[in-house]
Each structure stands twice: as structure tokens, then as C-alpha cells.
């Protein structure tokens, strides 16, 4: 969401070696932490331990405890699940919305394409985070509506990309030939266009997941995203900031570093894919 | 050129009208509203009714909407539900702080990004370029609220160098220059850290592209020194894409500012947006969205126009 895909075009040779592999490993690690570790570390993220509030990390509490003695490791893992289970479906919805809108506009007759693109201009005229804050303030979101809102606000850049690709490919000979032989638009879209665009789409989906984690965390940090009692990484950081005078570094670093790792992983995978496709020089 | 201006302004007007209308309808259909924000959850019904009457909220929706549009056409944005100040006055006083913060951050970002990007572009496949590339990649993945929180933890709480916020009453005219500067330091550092990788990566890319062009080769063949080629020719040409990016990132820088301003309770437009979102202060909320929308469109338009001045080949098809 910070900027378009072009910003991420880094020359291939200045990308650290093994970026793609590193990014994938990081992603597996984060997913394992959030979804597999809770099977082993079974502490209750909501159970109070009034005897040990704000405890430093120890064998009993590997990441310490928060201000009312809740186990911070369990809370970070729980928050991670909540964050990813909103961000990833949000990315899927964005992806599908952008794809369908872009394909329709690209394959539509010229006048319909013009109308759809003007509408897109209108949606793009405002920064996504502002629109999100706006609706989040008015609607007071539950988890499903949060996913839907994230998905429905971030699709325009992808839609434009898909539309331009579609326009570029639809007049090629093999597509024309396929049309002559009686193939419908749907067939053309699903076989020819999607196959040509698959690499670009894969890169964009990766970036989308990163963007969603960032936006959702920012929104939750502002108190407008995932709502208490459910925690999220952004929410954990916000409550740690409230206690900052007490120097609770063990409450600040884990959620912050996990958001950082998620964004870095998405960025590495996306750029690694781009470099493999010869997108950079 | 005129056609471009007209088209851009047209779609902007359409989008702002669309968004504010949706916002208007939604905000007036939801339960709660300003009366409960002002009086608290246990408000008495007659007090609520009095407040609703005062703000004209007891009229039918379509009449409220027409009244609101009419006022908007005359640039009356209404009054804040919370502070009762006119929205226009509020926006101007907070916007001043935001512009100050953004100008300081942007100047610092540009200075750093031009240097880093130049080195990255020239030595892009060698050690220095790789290191800068890795730094950019890392900074790029840092969320503003994490950076901000760490800065508060270390520089403000740990070392006591800067105030951590709590400057809700900062009005620049009531502050000494030094005090204002110390309040600016941490938010400006945060924004700079997040802007540098984006700008420097763009600049590196375009320096690298320019270095591969024919004019560089022929200048070198004529015996021009590398430094002269770099600073005489390449720099000017490589700056052009940066102008576009600056225009396009005006709203981005702005949107990034919402979170940063909130972390440090820096009294700018972003912080006001957050306050009015939390307090469901709809007139202020709608006013800010309008302002940000207009700024976004103007930023994009400006980038296009300046780009056209720098490069006559750009057409406005």
C-alpha cells in the first residue's frame, strides 16, 4: 500500500543472494510459530497471574508477562493467528476483486472499459489507509467485516495492472485465433490471459499479503482494527506503548519484530520472484 | 495539458462526492452518534434529543444531506461535535503542524536518499551497492508504529533526549523554536527512516538506467571525466522520475503520517483524523477526508505538470 509495484523493482544483482529462499524460510518460520507452537506452548493467553505482573522473561514466562500478568508468549502467538487470519483472507479478497475487475474492464468494449477506468480513478484518488480509518470509525468492525473492508479497499492498483495486461494480450494472434475458432471470452480469460499473467499475479499476491499485515497492524495499533479482547500484533504494540515509561522492552520487541519479519518475508519472496522472471536487471 | 487537468479534477470531484455521500449516509444511520460521544453512554433521552436538535440531526436524512451539500458548496464544513470549533479553523491549525513536520522530514529524506541512491546506482553490483540495497530492504519492511515505539523507548525514555509526546497543547506560536524542534525530532526521524528507502531505491534505479545510455558512452569517449558525466548529465536526467515519485507519494507520506503523528501525539492532521475517528466526530472526519483527497489529486497533478516541464517529450494523451 505504500506505493505501486514499480517501487519494488530492484536490480537483480543488488538483491541479496537467496532472497527468495530466505523469504520462504522466514514465512514458514512465522507460520510455524503462530500455528504450530501453540500446540506445544499451551499457556492460556487470557489467564491472569496477578502475582507476577510485568515479569521479565524467564523460564516460566519466556517472553515475560503484561501489566496484569498474562503470558506474553501465548499472547504474541494468539495475536499472530488473529493478524494472519484477517490479513491473508483480506489479501485473497483483494486479489480476486482486482483480478475480476481488471479482466472485465480489459475484455469489455471500449466504452465500458472507459467507464470502469474512470470509476477506478475515483477510487484511487484517496489513500487506502485514510478510507480504511474512515469506515472503521463509522462502522465499528467485527472480524468478518474487517476482512471484507480490507479486501474491498485495496484492490484498485491490481485491477489497473490486470486491465493493462489484458489489453496488451487480447489482440495477440493466438488469442485472436482462439476467438475465431469460437472460444468464448471466459475461455480466453481463464486459459490464455491467466496463463500469461500468472507470474505477475504471483508477485503481486505476495506483496498484497505483506501490505495487508502492515495495514491491519496499523489499524489495530490505532484501536480501529481487531477489537479487544482479541489481541493482534498491532494491538499488543499499542498497549505496550501505553506502558512505555516502565521500559517493557519484552512487550514491544516480539510483536514488532514479527510484523517486521512478515513484511520482510513478503518483500523478499516478491522481489525474488520478480528477479527470477527477469523483471529486474 | 488542460484536458489532463480537467480529467483529473473531474474524477477527483466524483470520488470525493461519492465517498462523502457514503460517509454521510453511513454516519447518520449508525446508532450512537455525537450525543453519546459527548454525554457518555448513560445519557438521558431528553439531553440526547436536545443535542440532536442543536446539530440538526432530528431532520429527515435527505434534508440533512441537502443542508450539508449546500453548506459544503459554500465551504462551510460544520462544527466539531467534540470541541464545537468550526471544522475549517481546526483543519488549518492542525494542518500547519503537519506541513512543518512533513517538510522537515522530506528535506532530510531527500538529502539522505540522493546520496545513498547515487552510490547504490553507481556501484549497484558491488559491495557498497549490495550493502545499501540490504539496508533499503530492511528499512522498507519497518512499520512506522514499531519504529516510533522503539524511538520513544530508547531515545526518550532510556536516554531522556527528547519528549515522547504529551504535546497536545503544542501550538507553534506559543513555543520557543528549540521546544518545537525537540518535539519534531522523533516524529521527523521516524518518517525520514521510512521514506529514505523508497526514494533512494527509485533514484538508484534511474541513475543505473541513465548510466547505460548512449550519451554517457559518447561523453566518456570524448574524454569527459566520470565525475563530470555523473554530476553534469546523469544527475539531472535521473532526477526526473524522482519528481513523479514525490508527487505520487505526497498522499503516501501523508497517510504514513497518520500513524506516526498518533504514536507521538503530534498535533497534526493525521492525529486529528485519528481523534475524530475514535470520537466519531463526523464533521471533522469528513472535512479531513475532503482535504486529504484534494491534496492527493493536486499532488498527482503537480507531478505530471512538473514532469512535462522537465521533459518536453511527455505528452498528455
Amino acid at each position: 500500500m505504500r506505493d505501486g509495484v514499480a517501487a519494488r523493482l530492484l536490480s537483480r544483482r543488488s538483491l541479496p543472494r537467496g532472497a527468495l529462499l530466505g523469504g520462504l524460510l522466514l514465512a514458514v518460520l512465522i507460520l510455524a510459530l503462530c500455528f504450530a507452537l501453540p500446540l506445544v506452548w499451551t499457556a492460556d493467553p487470557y489467564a491472569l497471574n496477578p502475582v507476577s505482573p510485568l515479569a521479565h522473561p524467564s523460564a516460566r514466562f519466556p517472553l515475560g508477562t503484561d501489566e496484569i500478568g498474562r503470558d506474553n508468549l501465548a499472547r504474541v502467538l494468539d495475536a499472530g493467528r488473529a493478524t494472519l487470519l484477517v490479513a491473508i483472507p483480506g489479501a485473497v479478497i483483494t486479489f480476486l476483486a482486482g483480478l475480476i475487475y481488471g479482466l472485465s474492464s480489459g475484455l469489455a468494449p471500449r466504452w465500458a472499459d472507459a467507464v470502469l477506468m474512470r470509476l477506478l480513478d475515483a477510487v484511487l484518488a484517496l489513500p487506502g489507509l485514510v478510507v480504511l480509518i474512515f469506515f472503521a470509525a463509522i462502522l465499528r468492525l467485527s472480524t468478518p467485516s474487517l476482512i471484507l473492508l480490507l479486501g474491498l479497499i485495496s484492490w484498485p492498483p491490481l485491477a489497473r495492472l490486470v486491465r493493462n495486461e489484458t489489453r496488451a494480450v487480447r489482440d495477440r494472434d493466438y488469442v485472436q485465433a482462439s476467438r475465431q475458432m469460437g472460444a468464448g471470452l471466459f475461455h480466453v480469460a481463464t486459459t490464455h490471459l491467466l496463463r500469461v499473467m500468472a507470474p505477475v499475479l504471483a508477485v503481486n499476491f505476495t506483496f498484497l499479503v505483506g501490505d495487508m499485515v502492515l495495514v491491519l497492524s496499523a489499524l489495530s495499533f490505532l484501536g480501529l482494527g481487531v477489537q479487544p479482547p482479541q489481541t493482534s500484533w498491532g494491538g499488543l504494540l499499542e498497549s505496550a506503548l501505553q506502558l512505555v515509561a516502565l521500559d517493557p522492552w519484552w512487550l514491544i520487541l516480539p510483536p514488532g519484530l514479527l510484523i517486521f519479519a512478515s513484511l520482510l518475508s513478503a518483500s523478499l519472496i516478491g522481489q525474488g520472484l520478480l528477479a527470477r522472471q527477469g523483471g529486474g536487471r | 495539458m488542460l484536458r489532463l487537468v480537467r480529467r483529473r479534477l473531474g474524477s477527483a470531484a466524483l470520488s470525493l462526492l461519492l465517498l462523502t455521500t457514503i460517509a454521510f449516509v453511513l454516519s447518520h444511520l449508525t446508532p450512537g452518534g455525537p450525543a453519546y460521544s459527548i454525554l457518555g453512554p448513560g445519557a438521558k433521552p431528553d439531553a440526547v434529543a436536545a443535542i440532536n436538535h442543536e446539530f440538526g440531526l432530528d431532520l429527515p436524512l435527505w434534508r440533512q444531506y441537502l443542508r450539508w451539500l449546500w453548506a459544503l458548496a459554500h465551504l462551510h464544513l460544520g462544527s466539531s461535535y467534540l470541541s464545537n470549533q468550526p471544522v475549517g479553523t481546526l483543519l488549518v491549525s492542525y494542518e500547519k503542524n503537519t506541513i512543518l513536520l512533513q517538510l522537515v522530514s522530506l528535506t532530510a529524506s531527500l538529502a539522505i536518499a540522493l546520496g545513498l541512491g547515487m552510490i547504490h546506482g553507481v556501484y549497484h553490483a558491488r559491495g557498497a551497492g549490495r550493502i545499501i540495497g540490504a539496508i533499503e530492504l530492511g528499512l522498507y519492511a519497518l512499520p512506522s508504529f514499531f519504529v516510533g515505539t522503539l524511538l520513544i523507548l530508547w531515545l526518550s525514555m532510556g536516554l531522556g533526549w527528547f519528549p515522547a509526546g504529551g504535546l497536545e497543547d503544542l501550538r507553534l506560536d506559543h513555543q520557543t523554536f528549540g521546544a518545537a524542534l525537540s518535539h519534531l525530532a522523533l516524529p521527523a526521524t521516524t518518517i525520514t527512516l521510512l521514506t529514505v528507502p523508497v526514494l533512494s531505491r527509485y533514484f538508484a534505479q534511474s541513475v543505473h538506467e541513465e548510466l547505460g545510455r548512449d550519451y554517457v558512452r559518447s561523453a566518456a569517449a570524448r574524454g569527459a571525466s566520470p565525475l563530470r558525466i555523473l554530476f553534469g548529465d546523469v544527475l539531472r536526467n535521473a532526477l526526473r522520475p524522482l519528481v513523479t515519485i514525490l508527487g505520487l507519494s505526497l498522499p503516501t507520506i501523508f497517510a504514513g503520517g497518520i500513524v506516526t503523528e498518533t504514536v507521538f501525539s503530534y498535533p497534526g492532521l493525521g492525529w486529528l483524523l485519528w481523534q475524530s475517528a475514535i470520537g466519531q466526530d463526523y464533521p471533522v472526519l469528513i472535512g479531513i477526508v475532503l482535504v486529504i483527497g484534494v491534496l492527493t489529486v493536486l499532488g498527482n497533478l503537480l507531478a505530471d505538470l512538473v514532469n512535462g516541464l522537465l521533459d518536453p517529450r511527455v505528452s498528455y494523451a
Side-chain angles (χ1 to χ4, degrees):
Chain A
M1 186 159 277
R2 280 201 213 159
D3 42 30
V5 179
R8 282 106 171 197
L9 262 176
L10 188 69
S11 54
R12 193 201 308 196
R13 273 181 294 170
S14 65
L15 196 65
R17 277 191 206 94
L20 182 56
L21 190 64
L24 285 171
L25 283 178
L26 202 54
V28 170
L29 186 71
I30 295 166
L31 288 174
L33 267 180
C34 295
F35 292 97
L37 191 58
L39 303 175
V40 185
W41 187 257
T42 50
D44 180 355
Y46 299 97
L48 311 181
N49 302 292
V51 275
S52 43
L54 281 178
H56 281 254
S58 61
R60 186 165 164 230
F61 302 111
L63 292 181
T65 62
D66 71 359
E67 73 278 15
I68 45 179
R70 292 176 292 197
D71 182 70
N72 193 35
L73 176 60
R75 285 179 72 70
V76 168
L77 300 180
D78 186 56
R81 277 195 305 280
T83 304
L84 295 178
L85 286 179
V86 171
I88 295 174
V92 172
I93 292 180
T94 306
F95 183 74
L96 291 178
L99 188 63
I100 292 170
Y101 194 98
L103 278 176
S104 320
S105 184
L107 291 172
R110 200 167 285 274
W111 64 267
D113 178 48
V115 171
L116 287 175
M117 282 300 110
R118 288 304 288 275
L119 206 64
L120 199 63
D121 279 342
V123 180
L124 274 172
L126 275 166
L129 186 61
V130 174
V131 181
L132 262 177
I133 290 179
F134 192 76
F135 282 113
I138 292 171
L139 294 174
R140 299 287 142 167
L141 304 164
S142 62
T143 303
S145 56
L146 188 61
I147 295 176
L148 212 61
L149 189 64
L150 279 177
L152 291 182
I153 277 176
S154 321
W155 57 271
L158 183 68
R160 162 146 310 164
L161 185 84
V162 170
R163 179 260 178 194
N164 290 345
E165 291 275 324
T166 306
R167 285 267 149 190
V169 176
R170 63 178 259 172
D171 294 328
R172 292 212 187 134
D173 288 344
Y174 65 91
V175 180
Q176 291 294 330
S178 158
R179 293 278 288 153
Q180 295 289 321
M181 283 190 280
L185 277 179
F186 185 75
H187 176 81
V188 169
T190 47
T191 55
H192 299 303
L193 298 178
L194 283 186
R195 193 164 300 163
V196 174
M197 282 188 264
V200 180
L201 291 178
V203 171
N204 273 279
F205 182 72
T206 322
F207 287 144
L208 266 183
V209 173
D211 288 347
M212 286 294 150
V213 171
L214 176 65
V215 171
L216 176 67
S217 301
L219 206 59
S220 304
F221 181 85
L222 295 176
L224 295 164
V226 176
Q227 293 297 325
Q230 177 62 56
T231 54
S232 64
W233 286 335
L236 283 182
L237 266 178
E238 194 271 337
S239 33
L241 181 61
Q242 302 295 327
L243 304 166
V244 74
L246 304 170
D247 194 23
W249 54 269
W250 63 92
L251 295 180
I252 292 174
L253 288 179
L257 287 177
L258 278 164
I259 299 174
F260 172 67
S262 311
L263 301 185
L264 190 65
S265 152
S267 185
L268 285 175
I269 296 175
Q271 298 209 355
L273 286 175
L274 260 185
R276 274 175 69 123
Q277 295 159 17
R281 265 164 305 265
Chain B
M1 199 180 232
L2 260 179
R3 250 181 66 200
L4 174 87
V5 174
R6 209 159 51 210
R7 215 184 86 189
R8 280 289 176 72
L9 292 182
S11 65
L14 180 67
S15 95
L16 290 177
L17 190 69
L18 210 73
L19 190 80
T20 44
T21 305
I22 295 174
F24 180 86
V25 173
L26 280 179
S27 65
H28 285 74
L29 286 181
T30 44
Y36 290 95
S37 292
I38 296 168
L39 300 171
K44 292 200 177 72
D46 51 332
V48 172
I51 284 190
N52 282 343
H53 184 72
E54 189 190 328
F55 289 116
L57 295 174
D58 51 351
L59 296 169
L61 199 60
W62 65 271
R63 279 198 56 194
Q64 287 187 46
Y65 182 62
L66 285 184
R67 263 175 57 159
W68 177 77
L69 267 187
W70 181 249
L72 192 64
H74 294 79
L75 289 180
H76 290 306
L77 292 168
S79 299
S80 162
Y81 288 157
L82 297 181
S83 67
N84 216 13
Q85 279 178 287
V87 173
T89 321
L90 267 179
L91 288 184
V92 171
S93 70
Y94 283 85
E95 177 66 77
K96 274 194 288 194
N97 294 340
T98 291
I99 289 176
L100 180 73
L101 174 62
Q102 296 294 345
L103 278 184
V104 170
S105 318
L106 196 61
T107 312
S109 310
L110 267 179
I112 300 171
L114 285 183
L116 275 185
M118 188 70 122
I119 302 172
H120 188 182
V122 173
Y123 298 106
H124 88 118
R126 277 180 262 164
R130 280 179 189 282
I131 292 171
I132 295 177
I135 293 174
E136 286 168 353
L137 211 61
L139 284 181
Y140 193 77
L142 275 177
S144 56
F145 44 90
F146 185 39
V147 176
T149 308
L150 287 182
L151 287 179
I152 291 180
L153 186 68
W154 290 334
L155 297 185
S156 171
M157 294 298 159
L159 299 171
W161 287 355
F162 301 103
L167 33 155
E168 274 112 284
D169 53 350
L170 172 84
R171 287 286 176 279
L172 287 173
D173 23 298
H174 298 311
Q175 294 275 337
T176 62
F177 183 69
L181 206 64
S182 72
H183 284 316
L184 267 174
L186 291 186
T189 309
T190 307
I191 296 177
T192 303
L193 276 176
L194 301 179
T195 316
V196 162
V198 180
L199 293 182
S200 108
R201 189 177 299 186
Y202 261 104
F203 190 55
Q205 186 73 27
S206 76
V207 165
H208 177 60
E209 265 166 33
E210 289 299 324
L211 282 176
R213 292 200 195 283
D214 288 341
Y215 73 85
V216 173
R217 216 166 353 138
S218 53
R222 282 201 312 272
S225 76
L227 279 182
R228 190 168 153 210
I229 298 177
L230 197 59
F231 288 100
D233 306 318
V234 170
L235 182 64
R236 195 178 42 160
N237 288 329
L239 276 175
R240 199 186 309 132
L242 210 61
V243 176
T244 315
I245 295 319
L246 278 183
L248 289 178
S249 63
L250 271 187
T252 307
I253 292 168
F254 210 89
I258 299 170
V259 181
T260 310
E261 286 181 358
T262 307
V263 174
F264 297 100
S265 349
Y266 180 86
L269 206 59
W271 185 73
L272 187 66
L273 173 68
W274 176 71
Q275 288 271 301
S276 56
I278 294 285
Q280 294 185 299
D281 193 350
Y282 301 132
V284 180
L285 200 58
I286 293 176
I288 295 176
V289 170
L290 280 171
V291 167
I292 294 182
V294 171
L295 285 177
T296 307
V297 174
L298 288 183
N300 293 349
L301 196 60
L302 210 65
D304 278 351
L305 296 182
V306 172
N307 223 14
L309 289 180
L310 288 177
D311 183 358
R313 286 170 305 178
V314 173
S315 74
Y316 296 107

